[in-house]
Amino acid sequence: MSWIMGLIGLIVLSFFLLLLIMLGKQNEPARRERFKKEFQNKYHETLILSQTNVVNEEFIHRLNNALKADFMETVNTEFRLQFPRYSQNQVNELWRELKRYFLMAAVFKKIEMFNVKVDELWHIMLKFEKEYNEFCEMFIGRRIHHIPHGQPMFKPGERTFFDFCYVQLFSVDSISLKIWGRFFKHGKGKELLQEFENEEMTKLKNKYMHDSPSSLGEKVFESFVSRFKEYKLDKSPIWQHSYKDTSDASYAYFAYVSMNDSDDSFRDLFGHDSSDSHGSHDVGHGGSDSSSCSSCSSCSSS
């Protein structure tokens, strides 16, 4: 008799699950329309990337013009259907950081991805192959390749390089820190800094610049390198003063490198966070989307 009662219970449970699925499908068109309207109302926010003077305005305009609003709306809607807890404001933060990532990927040979939700937004874009290829072609004349690693990998060196590039190209604010976590958790990048200060431009291009950059991408790389040629380690007081005047984290970085490791003047931006751990498989993609370290990645650009 007990097995009959169990079977009845299973049938009832299955019925209610089926009912919930059917109700969800009935509500999906209404949710799609709501998500589309919310995206349209806040679309202008996705055009603001708040770069430093390393990234020229023309490069920003090229990216924004290439990434069409209707394509973004489609991807945005699919993302929110998949992750309904995310508000449009939160998704717009992911859009900003994905656009910044695309700018870096257009300049450098390889950039690792360190946020799982930014990566998910990119994954959804890739499902629309025609639109994605048109975006890449219009932006830089070639496809920005997504290279999955299969299993997440701990990459502190690659994360330091990501940070090294990011803080020179873009402003660092609360959104940056929420998405990527604090910068330079696994080293200050002193070897990189010395290399970019002392090595010839041609050699640096061969090693770090993408093999087929657009003319705008090459200009960004040259501006990026020039910054390290200009700011030498004997100018620490100038950097600190510049940072206080502008809150530009790129100046803060130069000062941070020249400081003693025990100095926590820039702890809000840079340095080790003792709450990080390396044991989770919900890989460290920084900020609020992960409970593990921010130096693991599951994909990269090429």
Side-chain angles (χ1 to χ4, degrees), residues 25-41:
K25 287 183 176 180
Q26 289 176 350
N27 290 333
E28 185 173 310
R31 292 167 67 203
R32 281 184 178 275
E33 285 305 309
R34 176 165 63 87
F35 293 155
K36 287 180 179 180
K37 288 181 180 178
E38 290 179 359
F39 172 80
Q40 292 166 4
N41 290 337

Side-chain angles (χ1 to χ4, degrees), residues 220-239:
V220 170
F221 186 86
E222 290 170 350
S223 296
F224 174 78
V225 174
S226 296
R227 232 171 145 77
F228 300 107
K229 304 294 187 189
E230 179 181 356
Y231 297 108
K232 297 288 186 178
L233 287 175
D234 59 353
K235 294 184 178 179
S236 179
I238 297 175
W239 301 326

Side-chain angles (χ1 to χ4, degrees), residues 36-259:
K36 287 180 179 180
K37 288 181 180 178
E38 290 179 359
F39 172 80
Q40 292 166 4
N41 290 337
K42 294 180 178 292
Y43 167 70
H44 65 281
E45 296 176 4
T46 70
L47 304 176
I48 304 169
L49 296 181
S50 304
Q51 72 279 9
T52 66
N53 59 13
V54 173
V55 182
N56 57 65
E57 288 288 344
E58 189 178 355
F59 204 32
I60 299 293
H61 291 316
R62 178 70 63 86
L63 172 62
N64 282 330
N65 289 336
L67 190 50
K68 303 299 184 184
D70 55 350
F71 180 32
M72 287 183 66
E73 179 185 293
T74 299
V75 173
N76 190 92
T77 301
E78 293 302 316
F79 181 93
R80 293 196 64 190
L81 286 170
Q82 188 173 342
F83 302 101
R85 290 187 178 183
Y86 276 69
S87 69
Q88 189 56 53
N89 287 336
Q90 290 174 310
V91 183
N92 277 358
E93 293 175 352
L94 300 178
W95 274 119
R96 191 192 79 167
E97 296 308 315
L98 180 58
K99 284 188 172 186
R100 289 181 170 193
Y101 180 87
F102 283 151
L103 288 167
M104 290 195 289
V107 175
F108 300 99
K109 283 186 187 294
K110 185 177 182 181
I111 292 290
E112 298 288 338
M113 170 59 72
F114 293 102
N115 183 286
V116 69
K117 287 301 185 294
V118 176
D119 189 34
E120 187 59 46
L121 201 60
W122 189 9
H123 276 242
I124 296 173
M125 289 183 71
L126 291 164
K127 293 179 181 178
F128 303 91
E129 187 170 359
K130 178 177 178 291
E131 291 82 356
Y132 180 76
N133 287 339
E134 288 175 351
F135 152 64
C136 293
E137 185 65 29
M138 187 173 177
F139 176 35
I140 53 173
R142 63 171 174 81
R143 182 180 172 90
I144 300 174
H145 290 284
H146 177 278
I147 304 175
H149 298 318
Q151 292 296 323
M153 294 180 286
F154 179 56
K155 293 191 170 185
E158 286 80 354
R159 174 61 204 243
T160 298
F161 181 71
F162 175 96
D163 298 346
F164 186 75
C165 298
Y166 188 100
V167 300
Q168 299 301 324
L169 270 60
F170 309 111
S171 64
V172 176
D173 55 18
S174 59
I175 296 173
S176 309
L177 296 171
K178 179 167 71 171
I179 301 298
W180 306 113
R182 281 196 290 205
F183 295 85
F184 298 101
K185 294 181 181 180
H186 304 280
K188 295 183 175 183
K190 286 185 177 181
E191 291 183 0
L192 283 169
L193 180 58
Q194 291 169 359
E195 183 178 5
F196 276 81
E197 282 182 348
N198 299 317
E199 196 58 85
E200 295 178 354
M201 178 71 76
T202 302
K203 290 185 178 180
L204 291 170
K205 283 184 176 181
N206 289 336
K207 184 174 181 179
Y208 292 105
M209 190 176 72
H210 200 283
D211 294 333
S212 54
S214 64
S215 59
L216 291 173
E218 187 168 9
K219 287 180 181 178
V220 170
F221 186 86
E222 290 170 350
S223 296
F224 174 78
V225 174
S226 296
R227 232 171 145 77
F228 300 107
K229 304 294 187 189
E230 179 181 356
Y231 297 108
K232 297 288 186 178
L233 287 175
D234 59 353
K235 294 184 178 179
S236 179
I238 297 175
W239 301 326
Q240 293 187 54
H241 181 72
S242 299
Y243 173 64
K244 289 177 182 178
D245 286 347
T246 66
S247 296
D248 186 335
S250 62
Y251 294 119
Y253 169 66
F254 290 113
Y256 173 66
V257 172
S258 66
M259 289 178 173

